[in-house]
Amino acid sequence: MRSLARETAFKIIYMSLFTGNEISCEELMQEDGITEEQDKDYEQDKQFVTALVSMYAENKETINSLINSKLVGYVPERVYRIDRAILALALTEIKFYKQTPQKVVINEAIEMAKKYSTEKSYSFVNGILKALLEENNGI
Protein backbone atom coordinates (compact mmCIF):
# COMPACT_ATOMS: atom_id res chain seq x y z
CA MET A 1 0.00 0.00 0.00
CA ARG A 2 3.04 2.31 0.12
CA SER A 3 2.46 3.26 -3.54
CA LEU A 4 -1.14 4.22 -2.76
CA ALA A 5 0.01 6.22 0.24
CA ARG A 6 2.54 8.00 -1.97
CA GLU A 7 -0.24 8.79 -4.47
CA THR A 8 -2.30 10.23 -1.63
CA ALA A 9 0.58 12.52 -0.67
CA PHE A 10 0.90 13.53 -4.34
CA LYS A 11 -2.80 14.42 -4.48
CA ILE A 12 -2.56 16.52 -1.33
CA ILE A 13 0.45 18.40 -2.70
CA TYR A 14 -1.29 18.84 -6.05
CA MET A 15 -4.42 20.24 -4.38
CA SER A 16 -2.30 22.60 -2.29
CA LEU A 17 -0.86 24.09 -5.49
CA PHE A 18 -4.37 25.31 -6.31
CA THR A 19 -5.68 26.24 -2.88
CA GLY A 20 -2.59 26.90 -0.80
CA ASN A 21 -4.27 24.90 1.97
CA GLU A 22 -3.49 21.46 3.33
CA ILE A 23 -6.13 18.78 2.85
CA SER A 24 -7.01 16.14 5.43
CA CYS A 25 -4.77 13.14 4.99
CA GLU A 26 -7.27 10.68 6.50
CA GLU A 27 -10.15 11.77 4.27
CA LEU A 28 -8.14 11.40 1.11
CA MET A 29 -6.67 8.08 2.22
CA GLN A 30 -10.19 6.72 2.64
CA GLU A 31 -11.19 8.04 -0.78
CA ASP A 32 -8.16 6.25 -2.22
CA GLY A 33 -9.20 3.00 -0.57
CA ILE A 34 -6.63 3.08 2.20
CA THR A 35 -8.56 2.12 5.31
CA GLU A 36 -7.69 0.38 8.55
CA GLU A 37 -9.73 -2.62 7.44
CA GLN A 38 -7.93 -3.00 4.11
CA ASP A 39 -4.40 -1.90 4.96
CA LYS A 40 -2.54 -3.80 7.65
CA ASP A 41 0.05 -0.98 7.66
CA TYR A 42 -2.56 1.79 7.86
CA GLU A 43 -0.91 3.72 10.70
CA GLN A 44 2.52 3.54 9.04
CA ASP A 45 1.05 4.63 5.70
CA LYS A 46 -0.80 7.49 7.39
CA GLN A 47 2.43 8.61 9.09
CA PHE A 48 4.24 8.34 5.75
CA VAL A 49 1.68 10.56 3.99
CA THR A 50 1.64 13.06 6.85
CA ALA A 51 5.45 13.20 6.96
CA LEU A 52 5.78 13.78 3.22
CA VAL A 53 3.13 16.49 3.14
CA SER A 54 4.59 18.24 6.20
CA MET A 55 8.14 18.06 4.84
CA TYR A 56 6.94 19.51 1.55
CA ALA A 57 5.11 22.35 3.30
CA GLU A 58 8.18 23.16 5.42
CA ASN A 59 10.58 23.07 2.47
CA LYS A 60 8.42 24.33 -0.38
CA GLU A 61 10.77 27.17 -1.33
CA THR A 62 13.85 24.92 -1.52
CA ILE A 63 11.97 22.31 -3.53
CA ASN A 64 10.58 24.87 -5.97
CA SER A 65 14.05 26.39 -6.41
CA LEU A 66 15.49 22.97 -7.23
CA ILE A 67 12.75 22.30 -9.78
CA ASN A 68 13.06 25.76 -11.33
CA SER A 69 16.84 25.43 -11.63
CA LYS A 70 16.38 22.63 -14.20
CA LEU A 71 13.59 24.14 -16.27
CA VAL A 72 15.69 24.96 -19.30
CA GLY A 73 13.42 26.45 -21.94
CA TYR A 74 10.38 26.42 -19.64
CA VAL A 75 8.73 29.22 -17.75
CA PRO A 76 8.06 27.79 -14.25
CA GLU A 77 4.42 28.91 -14.31
CA ARG A 78 3.80 26.95 -17.54
CA VAL A 79 4.87 23.57 -16.13
CA TYR A 80 1.82 21.37 -15.62
CA ARG A 81 0.80 21.45 -11.98
CA ILE A 82 0.50 17.69 -12.01
CA ASP A 83 4.13 17.39 -13.11
CA ARG A 84 5.21 19.99 -10.55
CA ALA A 85 3.39 18.09 -7.78
CA ILE A 86 5.01 14.80 -8.83
CA LEU A 87 8.44 16.43 -8.88
CA ALA A 88 7.80 18.12 -5.53
CA LEU A 89 6.78 14.84 -3.94
CA ALA A 90 9.78 12.97 -5.34
CA LEU A 91 12.24 15.67 -4.26
CA THR A 92 10.67 15.83 -0.82
CA GLU A 93 11.03 12.10 -0.40
CA ILE A 94 14.62 12.02 -1.70
CA LYS A 95 15.96 15.15 0.00
CA PHE A 96 14.06 15.26 3.28
CA TYR A 97 12.42 11.89 4.01
CA LYS A 98 15.55 9.95 2.96
CA GLN A 99 14.18 6.50 3.85
CA THR A 100 13.30 5.27 0.38
CA PRO A 101 15.97 4.38 -2.19
CA GLN A 102 16.27 7.09 -4.84
CA LYS A 103 15.66 4.64 -7.69
CA VAL A 104 12.36 3.59 -6.10
CA VAL A 105 11.26 7.21 -5.71
CA ILE A 106 12.15 8.03 -9.32
CA ASN A 107 10.36 4.93 -10.61
CA GLU A 108 7.25 5.79 -8.59
CA ALA A 109 7.36 9.39 -9.91
CA ILE A 110 7.59 8.12 -13.49
CA GLU A 111 4.65 5.76 -12.94
CA MET A 112 2.54 8.58 -11.46
CA ALA A 113 3.39 10.80 -14.44
CA LYS A 114 2.28 8.03 -16.80
CA LYS A 115 -0.94 7.56 -14.84
CA TYR A 116 -1.93 11.17 -14.14
CA SER A 117 -0.27 13.39 -16.75
CA THR A 118 0.47 13.62 -20.45
CA GLU A 119 2.22 10.95 -22.50
CA LYS A 120 5.44 13.03 -22.54
CA SER A 121 5.38 13.96 -18.86
CA TYR A 122 7.11 10.85 -17.60
CA SER A 123 10.26 11.67 -19.59
CA PHE A 124 10.11 15.30 -18.41
CA VAL A 125 9.83 14.18 -14.76
CA ASN A 126 12.59 11.61 -15.22
CA GLY A 127 14.88 14.17 -16.88
CA ILE A 128 14.44 16.78 -14.15
CA LEU A 129 15.01 14.27 -11.35
CA LYS A 130 18.06 12.71 -13.01
CA ALA A 131 19.58 16.14 -13.71
CA LEU A 132 19.12 17.19 -10.09
CA LEU A 133 20.56 13.94 -8.76
CA GLU A 134 23.59 14.13 -11.05
CA GLU A 135 24.28 17.78 -10.30
CA ASN A 136 23.85 17.51 -6.57
CA ASN A 137 25.33 14.04 -6.03
CA GLY A 138 22.06 12.62 -4.82
CA ILE A 139 20.52 15.95 -3.84
Side-chain angles (χ1 to χ4, degrees), residues 101-135:
Q102 292 177 357
K103 287 183 178 185
V104 171
V105 175
I106 292 170
N107 186 55
E108 292 278 330
I110 290 168
E111 291 305 314
M112 276 192 271
K114 287 178 181 178
K115 182 175 181 179
Y116 291 105
S117 199
T118 68
E119 60 185 58
K120 293 183 180 181
S121 288
Y122 77 91
S123 61
F124 172 76
V125 167
N126 185 43
I128 297 288
L129 291 174
K130 282 194 175 202
L132 285 167
L133 289 172
E134 287 170 6
E135 179 182 294

Side-chain angles (χ1 to χ4, degrees), residues 7 18 22 26 30 33 62 71 106 113 124 131 134:
E7 282 190 35
F18 284 99
E22 285 189 34
E26 289 180 44
Q30 287 179 351
T62 300
L71 295 178
I106 292 170
F124 172 76
E134 287 170 6

Side-chain angles (χ1 to χ4, degrees), residues 21-39:
N21 301 324
E22 285 189 34
I23 287 67
S24 166
C25 163
E26 289 180 44
E27 259 181 63
L28 201 52
M29 285 178 73
Q30 287 179 351
E31 285 180 27
D32 287 345
I34 306 171
T35 63
E36 287 183 75
E37 296 81 34
Q38 295 177 335
D39 182 2

Side-chain angles (χ1 to χ4, degrees), residues 57-129:
E58 291 168 14
N59 300 287
K60 193 184 312 189
E61 300 306 318
T62 300
I63 292 164
N64 285 331
S65 291
L66 284 169
I67 294 168
N68 292 344
S69 74
K70 293 298 170 200
L71 295 178
V72 179
Y74 286 88
V75 177
E77 293 77 27
R78 302 237 14 225
V79 174
Y80 294 124
R81 288 184 186 176
I82 288 176
D83 296 346
R84 183 170 284 282
I86 292 168
L87 287 166
L89 174 65
L91 290 172
T92 299
E93 192 166 358
I94 291 169
K95 185 166 178 62
F96 300 103
Y97 188 72
K98 297 181 182 181
Q99 295 180 28
T100 310
Q102 292 177 357
K103 287 183 178 185
V104 171
V105 175
I106 292 170
N107 186 55
E108 292 278 330
I110 290 168
E111 291 305 314
M112 276 192 271
K114 287 178 181 178
K115 182 175 181 179
Y116 291 105
S117 199
T118 68
E119 60 185 58
K120 293 183 180 181
S121 288
Y122 77 91
S123 61
F124 172 76
V125 167
N126 185 43
I128 297 288
L129 291 174

Side-chain angles (χ1 to χ4, degrees), residues 46-62:
K46 181 177 156 188
Q47 289 173 359
F48 176 68
V49 171
T50 303
L52 288 176
V53 171
S54 295
M55 287 175 192
Y56 168 72
E58 291 168 14
N59 300 287
K60 193 184 312 189
E61 300 306 318
T62 300

